[in-house]
Amino acid sequence: MRKNRHDFKNLDLYSTYEIKGLNFGALLNALKNRGITVYDVRKTGEKTHTVTVNFAQNRNFFAIAKELCYTDIRKIKDGGKAYPVLFFFRNLGLLVGAALFLVLAFFSCDFIFSFSFSGSGSVLKREMENYLKEKGVTQFSRFSDIDLTSLSDGLLADNPRLSFVECQRSGNILVIESALSEEGGKVLSGNSERLVSDVAGTVTDIKIYRGTALVKEGDRVAAGDVLVDGTVVVKDVPVNVGVIAYVTVSAEQIFTYVSDNDGEESLAIIFAEEQTGEKDAEAHVEKTCEEGRFVYTVTLVFSRVLFAG
Amino acid sequence: MGFIDNILQSFKLGEMPAEPLFKAVMYGDCAIYLQNVGSIKSYSPDKIELRLKKGGLTIAGEGLFVKKYCAGDLVVCGKIDTISRI
């Protein structure tokens, strides 16, 4: 038997034993006379009894039993409210292992094991992956080092073809849900002869898969300007191809709204947005008073993605 | 003066030393609590024989077991049919 080097007197612990032998009453009396309290004494066989004693009195119990020549004693179980304490005391390795497991689980939960792209914007997976790589978000990066909201905003700002991006954590997976903007959602046919701008503004981004660029980033363009042409030169011979390209133009449009009433800035913005069809434009309103009427000058700044394919 | 003390007085038992007396309290027919038990003479699920300071006591029944035994106190549980003084 394991020696009880530690005192469990104050703990609610007990041990149940199975004892084989005759004249069991003598053992009970001897235990009582030596101050050992016995519980749940039951006869389970012809010569077999079970008896429960306090865990702290185990050694005394064995000594008395052996004194009376009861040698066939088998421990059935340990129990009591404080049994978990005893269990962990006896299985320190298990406790350490469990603690180690919890610590490892805590840390491993913090790592990104993979990425998942969902939504219509997942067709731009490669571009989003490049952005993530630029920002240092790779496999085995830590979630705690990433601000998912700013990452979502960054992905959205980086790619004008996306209208919605949301990064979420699902276990050890970084889920990126995205939606294509209406312009970006067109299906490629490859039959466009050229890409023409429908707004005036500055080219901020240009990507050409097929065709010849007639403008570059930073160029000012007017409405009706050809941005990408379907004529390419192959071995000094001009060849017509279907244009596949997209160009982002940062446009600025000014609208004037005149009213007899003061405080109609919001109405003026709505009017301007209706005119352009841009609901997410950045709007600035300036109000002047001319001949008793209020003139609202609305400046809309928006990014227009022009797509051909 | 309590009820028990009153009875003891009535039967002129008040002056008797308390030690040789055993006390028994029954809880229905499913348990009995005994004080001043000398020792257990024999034990089986249908009969438990006890030695008292003076004489003995036999508890008969079914499925009897010793719930607690220490320092002269004994609790026997099970279906108790008879208790007889020897």
Side-chain angles (χ1 to χ4, degrees), chain B residues 2-86:
Chain B
F3 175 71
I4 296 290
D5 295 328
N6 262 331
I7 291 171
L8 291 173
Q9 284 281 330
S10 305
F11 288 95
K12 296 183 181 171
L13 295 169
E15 290 83 29
M16 279 185 72
E19 198 176 329
L21 292 175
F22 78 95
K23 289 180 189 171
V25 180
M26 277 198 74
Y27 297 90
D29 63 348
C30 59
I32 182 166
Y33 168 59
L34 298 151
Q35 273 184 342
N36 291 328
V37 173
S39 61
I40 296 173
K41 191 178 168 188
S42 70
Y43 162 72
S44 71
D46 49 5
K47 192 167 83 173
I48 297 174
E49 290 179 308
L50 307 173
R51 285 193 195 97
L52 305 172
K53 299 278 179 183
K54 213 174 171 183
L57 192 76
T58 304
I59 303 165
E62 290 169 33
L64 300 177
F65 67 95
V66 176
K67 185 68 186 170
K68 185 175 179 181
Y69 184 38
C70 69
D73 291 356
L74 175 73
V75 180
V76 175
C77 292
K79 189 178 179 304
I80 298 164
D81 293 333
T82 60
I83 303 164
S84 50
R85 190 82 166 84
I86 304 165

Side-chain angles (χ1 to χ4, degrees), chain A residues 10-11 18-19 25 47 56 67 103 107 115 123 125 127 185 189 200 218 220 227 231 236 264 284 287 307:
Chain A
N10 298 324
L11 297 178
E18 187 183 74
I19 304 166
K47 298 178 187 173
E67 213 173 81
V103 169
F107 278 104
F115 297 93
V123 292
K125 177 184 168 183
E127 290 169 28
S189 66
R220 291 282 308 170
L227 307 176
T231 308
D236 298 329
E264 290 190 350
H284 303 282
K287 183 176 71 177
F307 194 83

Side-chain angles (χ1 to χ4, degrees), chain A:
Chain A
M1 181 194 163
R2 183 192 290 252
K3 284 186 179 176
N4 298 319
R5 287 184 290 112
H6 296 269
D7 191 3
F8 291 97
K9 266 182 192 172
N10 298 324
L11 297 178
D12 179 16
L13 275 173
Y14 59 80
S15 301
T16 303
Y17 295 97
E18 187 183 74
I19 304 166
K20 278 185 185 171
L22 296 167
N23 197 13
F24 190 67
L27 176 62
L28 294 179
N29 293 325
L31 291 169
K32 183 208 81 172
N33 293 337
R34 304 279 181 93
I36 295 176
T37 307
V38 293
Y39 304 91
D40 289 326
V41 180
R42 292 170 192 265
K43 189 169 186 174
T44 53
E46 188 65 31
K47 298 178 187 173
T48 316
H49 294 79
T50 58
V51 60
T52 301
V53 295
N54 268 331
F55 185 82
Q57 294 178 319
N58 273 348
R59 294 176 76 181
N60 294 343
F61 168 76
F62 267 86
I64 294 162
K66 278 183 182 173
E67 213 173 81
L68 295 175
C69 301
Y70 287 94
T71 51
D72 196 352
I73 301 171
R74 186 170 66 89
K75 184 183 267 192
I76 298 173
K77 64 170 184 177
D78 288 318
K81 285 177 187 168
Y83 179 70
V85 176
L86 178 70
F87 178 81
F88 284 120
F89 183 77
R90 283 177 173 172
N91 302 283
L92 272 178
L94 187 70
L95 190 65
V96 171
L100 209 63
F101 171 77
L102 287 174
V103 169
L104 281 174
F106 175 78
F107 278 104
S108 66
C109 278
D110 198 32
F111 290 107
I112 297 172
F113 287 168
S114 65
F115 297 93
S116 168
F117 294 90
S118 61
S120 60
S122 58
V123 292
L124 302 172
K125 177 184 168 183
R126 193 167 294 175
E127 290 169 28
M128 285 191 275
E129 277 176 340
N130 287 340
Y131 176 81
L132 292 172
K133 207 174 281 180
E134 269 176 34
K135 295 291 169 190
V137 181
T138 55
Q139 213 175 11
F140 303 116
S141 292
R142 293 177 67 170
F143 276 107
S144 54
D145 294 338
I146 302 166
D147 179 6
L148 294 178
T149 311
S150 58
L151 188 66
S152 306
D153 294 344
L155 277 167
L156 189 63
D158 180 64
N159 200 325
R161 293 168 67 193
L162 295 172
S163 63
F164 168 81
V165 178
E166 187 175 21
C167 297
Q168 284 177 324
R169 179 186 174 167
S170 174
N172 286 88
I173 301 169
L174 178 62
V175 179
I176 298 155
E177 192 182 347
S178 57
L180 282 172
S181 61
E182 283 179 19
E183 291 86 352
K186 288 174 185 171
V187 177
L188 290 174
S189 66
N191 294 329
S192 297
E193 289 177 3
R194 63 185 65 86
L195 176 60
V196 180
S197 176
D198 62 353
V199 287
T202 308
V203 176
T204 56
D205 189 25
I206 181 163
K207 263 197 185 133
I208 296 171
Y209 300 97
R210 212 159 64 190
T212 304
L214 302 181
V215 291
K216 57 183 186 301
E217 277 182 39
D219 283 359
R220 291 282 308 170
V221 292
D225 282 0
V226 178
L227 307 176
V228 182
D229 191 48
T231 308
V232 293
V233 179
V234 180
K235 291 182 183 174
D236 298 329
V237 179
V239 178
N240 285 328
V241 295
V243 171
I244 302 175
Y246 77 81
V247 176
T248 307
V249 177
S250 176
E252 187 179 294
Q253 288 191 350
I254 298 168
F255 297 88
T256 306
Y257 173 81
V258 182
S259 172
D260 293 333
N261 304 319
D262 191 10
E264 290 190 350
E265 285 87 349
S266 299
L267 207 61
I269 291 171
I270 292 167
F271 164 75
E273 284 178 347
E274 282 299 319
Q275 293 294 311
T276 57
E278 292 289 339
K279 301 290 180 194
D280 300 319
E282 193 183 322
H284 303 282
V285 186
E286 275 182 31
K287 183 176 71 177
T288 53
C289 191
E290 290 174 14
E291 296 169 1
R293 303 191 78 191
F294 293 96
V295 179
Y296 299 90
T297 308
V298 182
T299 308
L300 283 186
V301 180
F302 55 90
S303 202
R304 174 72 58 88
V305 181
L306 304 164
F307 194 83

